[in-house]
Amino acid sequence: MYKKTISKRLRLPIALLVTIAIVIISYASYITYAANQRTISTLSEISHQNQTIFSLELGRDAKIIENAASYIEKLGYASFDDILTFLKHSQIDDQQHLLGIITPDGKLTDINGVEIDLSQFPNTKEALSSKETKFFCDSVSYTHLTLPTKLEV
């Protein structure tokens, strides 16, 4: 009889503890889900902002390059070395991109004299034959982001 009394007395507290545990687990699950959704939303917003900033900077850089090409044409530089010298002096100290010249055969020579063959990249011919300045990069490692513009010398 004593065992039945204990077991009857424990039923209510055990049921209450199980109910509380289910509520706590459900609440923790909801909090985790809400935190994950908030994180995804925040990361998506950051990604969108970075994309917008990158697009604006790319447009600004394209305009700078177009203006530099126009200025080089007006100055009448005709030699490859003169143009590289002009670009080297135009380089800003904290500028993170490197200026150079791409010849029609797809060879890039930067202001430090480093030569890179861009002819094997699929976008090179399209970018070089385009009437407008547009960027391209190699589709394998994305190490070269190039903004070619026409320069008539």
Side-chain angles (χ1 to χ4, degrees), residues 23-71:
V23 168
I24 289 173
I25 291 171
S26 297
Y27 184 71
S29 177
Y30 170 75
I31 293 295
T32 302
Y33 174 78
N36 284 339
Q37 291 303 312
R38 173 92 173 151
T39 301
I40 290 169
S41 173
T42 301
L43 290 175
S44 178
E45 179 64 26
I46 290 170
S47 174
H48 178 71
Q49 288 174 356
N50 284 339
Q51 180 183 4
T52 302
I53 290 169
F54 182 73
S55 294
L56 291 172
E57 287 178 354
L58 199 57
R60 181 202 64 208
D61 290 347
K63 195 66 178 162
I64 290 170
I65 291 170
E66 288 170 355
N67 290 339
S70 177
Y71 189 66

Side-chain angles (χ1 to χ4, degrees), residues 88-143:
K88 190 169 195 163
H89 291 296
S90 300
Q91 183 86 16
I92 301 169
D93 289 336
D94 64 349
Q95 189 170 320
Q96 295 187 8
H97 48 274
L98 197 58
L99 300 173
I101 300 173
I102 302 175
T103 57
D105 62 352
K107 306 279 192 242
L108 167 74
T109 304
D110 71 20
I111 59 174
N112 296 324
V114 176
E115 293 183 3
I116 302 169
D117 184 10
L118 298 177
S119 63
Q120 76 260 11
F121 300 126
N123 298 328
T124 302
K125 287 183 181 133
E126 176 190 341
L128 291 176
S129 64
S130 174
K131 299 276 188 221
E132 60 189 44
T133 301
K134 51 183 179 176
F135 77 95
F136 71 96
C137 59
D138 72 75
S139 56
V140 178
S141 63
Y142 298 101
T143 54

